[in-house]
Amino acid sequence: MINKVHISLKRRGAPYGVKLTESKLTAASPIELAPLPEKVIIALHQNIGAPCKPLVKRGDKVLAGQKIGDSEKFVSVPVHATVSGEISSTTMLVHPATGQLVEALVVTSDGLDKWVDLEASNDIDMLSAEEILKRIREAGIVGLGGAAFPTHVKLSPPKDKKIDTVILNGCECEPYITSDHKVMLEHGEEVLSGLNIIRKVLSPDNVYIAIEDNKEDAIEHMRELLASMGLDGNYKMITLRSKYPMGAEKTLIKSILDREVPIGGLPLDVGVVVHNVSTAKAIHDAVFEGRPFVERVVTVTGAVKNPKNLLVRLGTPLRSLIENCGGMDGKANAVILGGPMMGISQFDLDFPVIKGTNCVLVQKNMPIREGDCISCGRCLEVCPMHLMPTLLVRYAKARRYDACKEAYIDDCFECGACAYTCPANIPIVQYIKIAKSELIKRVAKK
């Protein structure tokens, strides 16, 4: 019944962070279907957790949607062939987030795009929470807001952690990126369907839909869908002031609920689970349509001739996406996976789209000389986690990694607001990444 829907429009802001030039070049660009690639490169490790082991070998014929890699570990998800064809080779890739070598399977397309049989379901009331989680896991779904944490794990909190609130994250606060925005506009019904599935699994008391106020069309569209779909329960739409990094989980929780995730803790420690809108759409596809996660919307933007939002098969080389957008501007010299704040530069244009790829940003970067810290305190003022970035840099330069740990470096989610405001051009996040990497190595040696 429509009158069961509760919508609360509020404009809330975060006390920390920075106001950025949005540069949403593709905000008015509809989602276009990218051409079927001639080959795809499927990395066997695309998420937080254990890597997959190959289930196929060179010369095997595969169908689109067929599982070709999996792991027995709980914190892991399988990978699937994203085109039909043949396993033509294996290769090694440098994972952009970790810098580690990962194995990958190369599938040469037969051009036919033949699929495995899909097991659709029209009524989630007929499925138990356990059956839903199994479908989500087998579909290979991870968080699509950037972290790539296995979704079935996030939906399986410990029994002593009561989840009373779910937040659907439609903020997309990084400049340039519009993939989530377009998913809400063009696939809003599937997004809300996925949210209903999340609600069924977790049974929260409250569900919030959070969207920044620079997406007025998405706010209005989702509001109308809530009413027209006659959703039951208490759905509260929250309009948030556009300020980076509003879309970060801990920032959202503080802004909406005034709860602070404890140091070293997770959102579930304060009774909250946050899911990205594209993740919710993928959940709908897996549960209702039986579709494994083999494609996603990617914003290709910046110094390309025709910036676009493309629906892309995972494993498609970056070069193909850039060519589909008319190629690079002649002065471009950098390709970034993600946005300009948290994205990672990629040196190989044959690197494939992976599950966490939401944007390919082409830029012209100028060399910047790092200066000395002038103790201005700007990085402290904007840090959403109340850390001391200057102290972390000092410890990292001195290789005092244990001191970085004591200064709560693990609470930094590398939003880059500190480096953005630094007048000395200190690459603060890079120093933090190095320190974190060294700490991980020490743990691995023990």
Side-chain angles (χ1 to χ4, degrees):
M1 296 283 294
I2 292 179
N3 59 8
K4 292 184 179 179
V5 181
H6 300 276
I7 302 170
S8 175
L9 289 176
K10 299 181 180 179
R11 297 186 182 272
R12 302 182 183 180
Y16 298 90
V18 291
K19 183 66 178 177
L20 302 174
T21 302
E22 294 175 356
S23 302
K24 304 279 189 178
L25 307 180
T26 53
S29 303
I31 298 171
E32 294 184 24
L33 182 64
L36 199 68
E38 295 180 359
K39 71 173 183 179
V40 292
I41 307 165
I42 308 298
L44 290 172
H45 194 195
Q46 301 187 38
N47 53 270
I48 292 175
C52 294
K53 294 180 180 179
L55 302 178
V56 291
K57 61 184 184 301
R58 185 173 179 177
D60 285 353
K61 302 292 184 181
V62 296
L63 299 174
Q66 178 179 333
K67 186 162 64 172
I68 59 175
D70 204 352
S71 169
E72 296 179 354
K73 302 292 186 181
F74 178 60
V75 186
S76 184
V77 293
V79 294
H80 303 79
T82 59
V83 296
S84 60
E86 180 179 314
I87 304 295
S88 54
S89 64
T90 62
T91 188
M92 300 298 290
L93 302 172
V94 178
H95 194 287
T98 64
Q100 297 178 338
L101 285 173
V102 297
E103 186 179 2
L105 301 171
V106 180
V107 184
T108 299
S109 173
D110 57 16
L112 301 176
D113 200 28
K114 293 181 179 179
W115 278 72
V116 295
D117 293 332
L118 303 179
E119 185 181 352
S121 177
N122 295 323
D123 188 359
I124 63 169
D125 292 333
M126 300 298 292
L127 300 174
S128 67
E130 291 74 19
E131 289 171 326
I132 290 173
L133 289 173
K134 182 179 179 181
R135 288 193 178 206
I136 291 171
R137 194 263 174 201
E138 286 300 300
I141 300 173
V142 300
L144 303 183
F149 189 79
T151 299
H152 73 283
V153 179
K154 203 170 186 179
L155 289 174
S156 306
K159 292 183 179 179
D160 62 335
K161 302 288 186 182
K162 165 59 180 172
I163 303 301
D164 61 58
T165 302
V166 165
I167 298 175
L168 183 69
N169 186 355
C171 288
E172 199 167 49
C173 57
E174 274 243 35
Y176 288 98
I177 309 175
T178 61
S179 53
D180 283 346
H181 185 184
K182 304 312 291 187
V183 165
M184 286 187 285
L185 288 175
E186 298 186 28
H187 298 283
E189 290 189 10
E190 293 98 320
V191 169
L192 292 178
S193 171
L195 180 59
N196 277 339
I197 295 168
I198 294 169
R199 181 172 174 269
K200 176 179 172 64
V201 172
L202 295 176
S203 299
D205 298 324
N206 296 292
V207 179
Y208 294 90
I209 301 171
I211 306 176
E212 282 191 321
D213 61 7
N214 60 350
K215 304 173 185 65
E216 293 182 1
D217 52 354
I219 292 168
E220 182 63 21
H221 181 62
M222 297 297 281
R223 183 174 67 82
E224 290 175 353
L225 282 177
L226 281 173
S228 66
M229 292 172 68
L231 299 175
D232 61 348
N234 189 15
Y235 288 79
K236 300 177 183 177
M237 182 170 287
I238 304 295
T239 303
L240 298 162
R241 292 189 179 92
S242 177
K243 189 175 184 182
Y244 182 83
M246 181 60 77
E249 284 188 335
K250 295 178 182 179
T251 305
L252 268 182
I253 293 168
K254 176 63 177 176
S255 299
I256 295 174
L257 302 173
D258 198 26
R259 301 181 192 176
E260 290 195 7
V261 177
I263 293 172
L266 297 170
L268 60 84
D269 293 320
V270 292
V272 184
V273 165
V274 181
H275 281 285
N276 169 269
V277 292
S278 291
T279 307
K281 199 266 185 186
I283 289 172
H284 163 87
D285 293 345
V287 175
F288 278 103
E289 300 177 15
R291 288 177 62 88
F293 182 55
V294 299
E295 61 186 3
R296 67 163 300 160
V297 180
V298 179
T299 300
V300 185
T301 186
V304 292
K305 293 180 180 177
N306 300 300
K308 297 179 180 179
N309 288 300
L310 295 173
L311 182 61
V312 179
R313 296 289 174 96
L314 302 181
T316 302
L318 303 181
R319 187 186 309 276
S320 297
L321 303 187
I322 294 170
E323 290 174 354
N324 185 272
C325 293
M328 295 185 186
D329 183 297
K331 297 179 181 179
N333 60 4
V335 174
I336 298 170
L337 295 183
M341 299 297 289
M342 296 185 71
I344 300 172
S345 293
Q346 182 58 42
F347 62 89
D348 182 8
L349 292 185
D350 290 320
F351 187 85
V353 171
I354 57 177
K355 295 182 181 185
T357 306
N358 60 354
C359 180
V360 177
L361 173 60
V362 180
Q363 284 190 322
K364 177 186 177 182
N365 287 342
M366 300 293 291
I368 297 176
R369 182 176 179 180
E370 178 183 345
D372 295 326
C373 175
I374 61 173
S375 301
C376 66
R378 293 182 188 177
C379 59
L380 281 72
E381 292 175 356
V382 300
C383 178
M385 297 308 297
H386 317 297
L387 301 177
M388 298 182 68
T390 50
L391 185 65
L392 292 173
V393 169
R394 193 182 313 154
Y395 287 153
K397 285 184 174 181
R399 300 185 179 181
R400 295 178 58 190
Y401 303 123
D402 289 336
C404 288
K405 184 79 172 178
E406 294 173 0
Y408 310 113
I409 193 171
D410 288 338
D411 262 20
C412 171
F413 56 85
E414 302 168 20
C415 70
C418 53
Y420 179 81
T421 60
C422 179
N425 297 317
I426 298 172
I428 299 172
V429 176
Q430 279 67 30
Y431 284 115
I432 289 174
K433 284 179 180 287
I434 291 170
K436 284 184 176 181
S437 176
E438 291 298 322
L439 286 168
I440 291 172
K441 289 178 183 177
R442 291 186 181 185
V443 171
K445 289 180 180 179
K446 293 181 179 179

